[in-house]
């Protein structure tokens, strides 16, 4: 069954909930919100999102399986909520400062650990969207290894940026380490999750037909990342004192987006 046929059969809500990006939503919420004075808010919203997604998923599709990431969501954020409620003021201050890095590292461990045991966590989502005959094919497995690895790298990058801001700059709210780099890493992983399956399918079709591989259409992947340079430049103009960098980012983002869109239109579908 194709992805389009699956979505038509299950409905848009079920198709949405079967996307691995949705399973990572609680972690993304927590990583971006947590900080000084925001621990309780971040962990509360993340836990609520985790429980709501599981409940909605099983309500919409009663045959859906329990997923590693869903269980990890609830266990991690419930534990953090309990620890935060019982923690001393000193421990709570530590959590407010470093919990973002802890969450990012935990998710990276889940991603790379699932790869190590040959069960990348995106497989549980992907199997609900394709025919069982494809579950053990090389292309299907490779796609899930690549996507899971991309998320592992993204959360490692976010953890490294946050740690640099906390330990070296001593500024958890630094616009670059606390926000821009981490958001870019997550957006890149989201885009890769959407973009790479189409690339893998096109490659598989050519291999089956005995045709040589075509160059990877990177422009389609890079367009939204280049587009982000414009709002980043605006944020730098507003919140940072390097106005020249903000102007440069806006100009570079506009030019790169235009160039990459032109290249994407010329790339094979």
């Amino acid at each position: 069954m194709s992805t389009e046929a699956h979505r038509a059969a299950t409905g848009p809500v079920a198709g949405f909930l079967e996307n691995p990006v949705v399973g990572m939503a609680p972690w993304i919420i927590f990583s971006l919100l947590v900080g000084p004075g925001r621990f309780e808010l971040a962990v509360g919203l993340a836990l609520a999102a985790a429980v709501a997604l599981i409940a909605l998923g099983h309500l919409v599709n009663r045959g859906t399986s329990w997923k590693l990431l869903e269980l990890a969501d609830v266990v991690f954020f419930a534990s953090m909520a309990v620890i935060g409620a019982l923690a001393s003021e000193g421990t709570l201050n530590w959590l407010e400062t470093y919990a973002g890095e802890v969450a990012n590292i935990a998710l990276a461990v889940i991603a790379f650990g699932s790869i190590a045991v040959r069960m990348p966590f995106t497989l549980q989502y992907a199997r609900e969207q394709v025919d069982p005959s494809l579950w053990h094919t090389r292309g299907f497995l490779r796609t899930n290894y690549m996507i899971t690895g991309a998320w592992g790298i993204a959360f490692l990058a976010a953890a490294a940026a946050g740690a640099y801001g906390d330990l070296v700059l001593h500024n958890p709210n630094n616009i670059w380490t606390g926000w821009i780099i981490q958001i870019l890493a997550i957006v890149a992983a989201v885009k890769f999750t959407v973009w790479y399956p189409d690339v893998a399918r096109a490659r598989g079709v050519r291999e089956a037909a005995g045709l040589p591989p075509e160059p990877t259409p990177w422009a389609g992947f890079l367009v939204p990342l280049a587009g982000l340079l414009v709002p980043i430049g605006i944020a730098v103009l507003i919140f940072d004192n390097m106005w020249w960098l903000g102007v440069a980012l806006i100009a570079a983002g506009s030019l790169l987006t235009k160039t990459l869109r032109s290249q994407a239109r010329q790339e094979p579908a």
Side-chain angles (χ1 to χ4, degrees):
M1 179 183 294
S2 67
T3 301
E4 291 75 14
H6 171 82
R7 288 172 180 167
T10 60
V13 176
F16 171 78
L17 293 171
E18 290 168 2
N19 191 315
V21 175
V22 177
M24 280 174 278
W27 300 83
I28 295 171
I29 291 170
F30 183 76
S31 297
L32 295 180
L33 288 182
V34 73
R38 301 192 301 271
F39 178 80
E40 293 90 345
L41 172 65
V43 75
L45 289 177
L47 179 58
V51 173
L53 287 173
I54 290 177
L56 186 58
H58 287 269
L59 179 64
V60 171
N61 186 359
R62 297 184 183 276
T64 190
S65 61
W66 289 93
K67 299 178 178 67
L68 169 66
L69 189 58
E70 292 177 341
L71 297 176
D73 289 352
V74 173
V75 170
F76 181 84
F77 293 115
S79 299
M80 294 295 276
V82 172
I83 292 171
L86 301 178
S88 64
E89 183 177 351
T91 301
L92 187 59
N93 289 336
W94 188 93
L95 288 171
E96 290 176 343
T97 302
Y98 299 109
E101 289 90 297
V102 172
N104 285 322
I105 291 172
L107 190 53
V109 169
I110 292 172
F112 291 122
S114 68
I115 290 175
V117 299
R118 300 185 178 182
M119 183 58 71
F121 69 80
T122 58
L123 267 178
Q124 292 178 301
Y125 295 90
R127 284 177 174 172
E128 294 183 349
Q129 302 182 49
V130 302
D131 191 274
S133 63
L134 300 175
W135 288 4
H136 301 290
T137 59
R138 185 178 68 172
F140 180 74
L141 294 173
R142 174 181 169 79
T143 297
N144 282 279
Y145 276 108
M146 293 291 289
I147 293 175
T148 301
W151 277 102
I153 292 171
F155 278 89
L156 278 181
Y164 187 84
D166 292 338
L167 299 174
V168 179
L169 301 180
H170 303 291
N171 181 10
N173 288 319
N174 178 272
I175 187 174
W176 288 98
T177 60
W179 297 96
I180 292 176
I181 295 175
Q182 297 195 40
I183 290 173
L184 274 175
I186 291 171
V187 170
V190 170
K191 177 58 183 175
F192 189 84
T193 301
V194 175
W195 169 82
Y196 187 76
D198 291 334
V199 173
R201 278 191 290 269
R203 183 181 298 148
V205 169
R206 292 187 65 85
E207 289 179 356
L211 299 174
E214 291 183 333
T216 302
W218 288 105
F221 169 69
L222 294 173
V223 165
L225 302 183
L228 272 180
L229 293 179
V230 174
I232 288 173
I234 294 173
V236 170
L237 283 174
I238 296 173
F239 298 108
D240 210 336
N241 57 7
M242 295 186 292
W243 65 266
W244 55 271
L245 179 58
V247 171
L249 287 171
I250 293 171
S254 300
L255 180 60
L256 279 173
T257 300
K258 182 178 180 180
T259 302
L260 289 169
R261 279 179 177 167
S262 177
Q263 292 180 8
R265 284 193 291 267
Q266 299 172 14
E267 290 173 343

